[in-house]
Amino acid sequence: MRLSRFFLPTLKEAPSDAQIVSHQLMLRAGMIKQEAAGIYAWLPLGLKVLRKIEQIVREEQMRAGAVELLMPTLQLADLWRESGRYDAYGPEMLRITDRHERELLYGPTNEEMITDIFRAYVKSYKSLPLNLFHIQWKFRDERRPRFGVMRGREFLMKDAYSFDVDEAAARVAYNRMFVAYLNTFARMGLKAVPMRADTGPIGGDLSHEFIVLAETGESEVFCDRKLVEMPAPGDDFSPEAVQAVFDERTALYAATEEMHDPAQFEAKTAEGDRLSARGIEVGHIFYFGTKYSAPMKAKVAGPDGQDAEVHMGSYGVGVSRLLGAIIEASHDAGGIIWPDAVAPFDVVVINLRANDEAVSAACEDAVAQLEKLGKDVLYDDTDERPGGKFATADLIGVPWQLTIGPKGLADGVVELKRRATGEKVSVPLAEAIERLTA
């Protein structure tokens, strides 16, 4: 993609009302534009990252056995009345009446709708276990939307829902999602720590938040340092394997500020392993038994022929929120530092003299070779000054910068820079391409 043809409206300064780093950098990098309080248009650069994150989430859900569908953004109020949540949910729910005076709502979550879908088609325990997920836009009318995509009113969310014949099977489903979340965030270059959490309006008696550590995090968290150092658990989703992962992680202390117990922290954690940091919630999982299946009569015929209410869990990932979380965890004074897996482009090729035919030909050759090898390339062919080109490349955070100019070309070398470390090397183009595709 030629930068001269791409839509990248960067800003030298962030608007004064952007309070946190991720909001400032997303605006400056031309990733989003605010259309209303807590509501954003996703511009091309931001959308590319959003789709990368969405695909990783999708792949890990499917790897764990979940099946994708897509539910609408608008839901019938009557479904929520069945569960008893319509009046209880509060002003965060956007309530709508259509031209036929039917009461609707813009879905903040989907427990009721998925339960309605399940009860319409699934009648026997032989169809279980079942986990259904979708990635869809949600709306919650926050009183004070702020911090850009970190606390917006409209947001993209992955929500999954498990259905099982009894509590024991439901807890296996919960553990599978627990493991899937650890794998998901690890693929994005994040260290996510599971922490026991309050169930809130979703309900139930078992819940974990997944917290990404970041200096600019929204709340203080306390945990055993060993949790941060543990690798992703991998793809063994047998009941025994997921239980072992769950037991290993939950045996160590981890708590958000509101659930922190200093005495327990000291008792359970060696002094050298006590970690106090800032954190950002990026995922939340719940087991809530028959909270929705009972009032909505979602039953299956059990092995004994008797109808039984299914046991359910729900599992959310803030897909759009993750962009902000990744930036908060990975940036420097120059701008964003994207992990390779979610970067909008793999490499930016910088032409230091766009009006020089030899330099432009070398850049075109580099771009063609990289694209042939499967790399997503942004080619800065603009007539901007070199300093401005370097500043833009750093700001948008592409993992590699390949710079070609007349002096280096005369010496038979190009400059290759790794954005994350700032390391630069001057090597022949063939060697640079080999490094980029290794």
Side-chain angles (χ1 to χ4, degrees), residues 20 42 44 68 111 182 253 266 282 288 314 325 392 436:
I20 63 172
W42 289 82
E68 188 172 12
E111 282 79 10
L182 293 170
Y253 187 91
E266 291 187 13
V282 291
F288 41 68
S314 71
T392 296
L436 288 168

Side-chain angles (χ1 to χ4, degrees), residues 205-233:
D205 62 358
L206 177 60
S207 176
H208 284 86
E209 292 179 358
F210 289 77
I211 304 293
V212 169
L213 303 186
E215 291 182 4
T216 51
E218 58 198 338
S219 61
E220 192 169 10
V221 297
F222 305 84
C223 69
D224 192 310
R225 190 179 304 275
K226 292 191 285 292
L227 280 167
V228 182
E229 297 168 353
M230 287 182 180

